[in-house]
Amino acid sequence: MSTPSGFDELIHPSTRLSVVALLAATEWADFPFIRDSLSLSDSALSKQLHTLEEAGYLEIRKEGGGRKRRTRVRLTARGRTAFEGHVAALRAIVEGAGPTAAAHATPQQHVEAGR
């Protein structure tokens, strides 16, 4: 089976997929909320946010200053489109591996799958 259209290698790693999925459910999210929701360290989350921002999938805003500095994050339109395409591609993969796909496999494919 070939990789379905919309599958996004950048979003696919589980940490990035979790970040994008969380952000897809909101307009803006604060850094501590994302960090705590996903049980990530500050540095791990910062790295993933930076990667997604470089791809144009996120917008990051730093507000205030000093101890009251606040980092807020949201998906861009491009990021939302990429996430929706990736979810659709994952669904296509799962549906292609379901009982219907197995019923249409040749006997040789059944043997190879059992290896």
Side-chain angles (χ1 to χ4, degrees):
M1 176 179 180
S2 65
T3 303
S5 173
F7 188 89
D8 191 310
E9 294 284 346
L10 185 74
I11 291 175
H12 191 67
S14 62
T15 301
R16 281 188 228 137
L17 182 57
S18 296
V19 168
V20 175
L22 182 67
L23 292 172
T26 187
E27 181 64 27
W28 286 93
D30 289 336
F31 185 95
F33 173 76
I34 301 167
R35 179 197 62 214
D36 297 345
S37 295
L38 302 178
S39 299
L40 295 172
S41 67
D42 286 359
S43 62
L45 178 56
S46 291
K47 180 179 177 184
Q48 300 309 321
L49 294 179
H50 179 71
T51 298
L52 291 163
E53 182 184 35
E54 280 188 333
Y57 290 0
L58 300 182
E59 178 182 349
I60 299 174
R61 285 194 185 160
K62 297 191 184 270
E63 301 170 345
R67 294 186 57 83
K68 296 190 181 217
R69 187 169 185 133
R70 182 171 145 175
T71 300
R72 303 185 75 213
V73 184
R74 76 171 178 167
L75 278 180
T76 61
R78 180 178 179 177
R80 192 168 299 278
T81 299
F83 174 67
E84 290 169 358
H86 189 67
V87 169
L90 292 174
R91 285 190 177 123
I93 291 168
V94 171
E95 289 169 4
T100 305
H104 295 291
T106 66
Q108 181 62 31
Q109 289 170 323
H110 281 290
V111 170
E112 290 172 359
R115 289 185 191 170

